Amino acid sequence: MNWEVVIGLETHAQLQTKSKIFSGSSIAFGAEPNVQASAVDIALPGVLPVLNREAVVCAIKFGLAVGAQIAPRSVFARKNYFYPDLPKGYQISQFEIPVVQGGGLHIHLGEAEKFVNLTRAHLEEDAGKSLHEDFHGRTGIDLNRAGTPLLEIVTEPEMRSSAEAVAYAKALHALVQWIGICDGNMQEGSFRCDANVSVRHPGETLGTRREIKNLNSFRFMQQAIDFEVQWQINEIEEGRAIRQATVLFDPDTGETRA
Ligand code: ADP
Ligand code: MG
């Protein structure tokens, strides 16, 4: 039987502001660990966030570039989770009223053109980083990245192949650099994608998705999605159900793993 691939992408673009989204700390890449972490970034008791106007300007620029609606009033929310590199115990993000709603991007695949609709784009802060090397079996925490401004750009589940997903990611990558809101440096993590992937028979309702996290190269995106699609089809054809999960791509083996 025929299988249809369904992909929705979530992209984190690091915004090119001078300072963090809720504090005055620098976001320059490559500093010694923890020298760019202020009282706000490490969440000392009693500190309060002050929104960086420039981050909002970047989000609005993006919204205008993709023909989206810009919310005249926008709301931040706390996303609670526990992780050592998240000092507050929650991430400040947007849930109910993001700055950017709707809009979309034209993508090109050879002769063919397609319009990919965006669901939303919202502002949020990045977390810190856990460092597992060079600590003799222990883990170090670098909070320089905590509070770095991100724009998370979410598509509708409208892409139908890894090639379409890569074409969209490339178009988005070019756009955010062109309008000057993101440097696009994928090695440094300034532009990273999560790919939500499911399969179904054409005409059926959406299948259960698995989310491939943190793809930081277009080639890995293509390889990861192709592997994931084949894995899901095999599972279903062998009578097993797909369970919603977060997976990582291992470039060494070419496989995705829960
Ligand atoms: P979450 O924030 O928990 O990851 P969302 O509902 O915001 O969940 O969806 C995230 C992404 O997953 C969006 O890009 C959306 O288009 C995509 N998506 C949702 N359902 C499916 C599905 N069944 N198959 C593939 N992609 C999907
Ligand atoms: Mg997600």
Side-chain angles (χ1 to χ4, degrees):
M1 216 181 178
N2 232 10
W3 289 101
E4 182 175 58
V5 175
V6 176
I7 303 163
L9 288 185
E10 296 166 275
T11 304
H12 289 93
Q14 181 178 318
L15 299 174
Q16 275 184 301
T17 54
K18 289 197 183 64
S19 53
K20 293 189 177 177
I21 184 165
F22 299 116
S23 83
S25 309
S26 166
I27 62 164
F29 184 82
E32 288 289 299
N34 296 311
V35 300
Q36 292 171 178
S38 71
V40 171
D41 308 322
I42 66 176
L44 292 187
V47 299
L48 287 172
V50 177
L51 180 59
N52 182 343
R53 181 191 182 93
E54 198 51 36
V56 182
V57 168
C58 288
I60 292 172
K61 272 187 192 167
F62 176 78
L64 295 175
V66 296
Q69 277 166 274
I70 310 299
R73 174 173 168 272
S74 182
V75 175
F76 284 93
R78 292 180 173 192
K79 186 171 180 179
N80 293 278
Y81 66 95
F82 180 78
Y83 206 71
D85 63 21
L86 187 77
K88 287 197 294 293
Y90 58 87
Q91 176 196 35
I92 305 180
S93 180
Q94 299 196 288
F95 183 62
E96 282 170 329
I97 313 181
V99 180
V100 176
Q101 298 166 21
L105 249 76
H106 288 279
I107 62 171
H108 300 269
L109 287 127
E111 298 290 281
E113 189 183 311
K114 173 167 177 161
F115 188 74
V116 176
N117 285 287
L118 298 180
T119 314
R120 56 191 270 150
H122 64 257
L123 287 166
E124 62 183 28
E125 58 178 347
D126 209 343
K129 217 187 257 177
S130 297
L131 303 165
H132 305 289
E133 324 84 45
D134 305 330
F135 292 100
H136 308 285
R138 287 180 282 178
T139 295
I141 306 288
D142 178 6
L143 294 174
N144 284 349
R145 205 179 60 186
T148 295
L150 302 177
L151 188 66
E152 176 171 342
I153 303 151
V154 184
T155 75
E156 290 292 301
E158 291 181 347
M159 285 152 284
R160 293 289 175 265
S161 65
S162 60
E164 282 188 11
V166 169
Y168 162 81
K170 285 183 172 170
L172 182 65
H173 186 242
L175 177 66
V176 294
Q177 290 177 84
W178 172 247
I179 63 175
I181 64 163
C182 174
D183 68 17
N185 190 324
M186 297 177 82
Q187 286 77 41
E188 293 178 2
S190 301
F191 186 92
R192 38 190 210 264
C193 297
D194 304 336
N196 295 269
V197 179
S198 65
V199 297
R200 66 174 172 188
H201 297 303
E204 286 180 352
T205 54
L206 290 179
T208 303
R209 70 189 156 112
R210 301 211 313 165
E211 178 173 0
I212 314 166
K213 282 282 185 193
N214 269 326
L215 296 163
N216 65 352
S217 103
F218 299 124
R219 194 163 55 91
F220 291 165
M221 178 183 290
Q222 178 119 31
Q223 289 174 359
I225 293 172
D226 288 343
F227 178 87
E228 178 64 25
V229 165
Q230 204 46 59
W231 183 86
Q232 289 188 16
I233 291 172
N234 288 346
E235 288 291 294
I236 297 169
E237 288 185 341
E238 286 172 20
R240 289 184 289 271
I242 304 297
R243 272 184 301 171
Q244 190 168 338
T246 297
V247 304
L248 286 177
F249 176 66
D250 181 346
D252 294 329
T253 61
E255 298 180 353
T256 52
R257 251 201 325 270

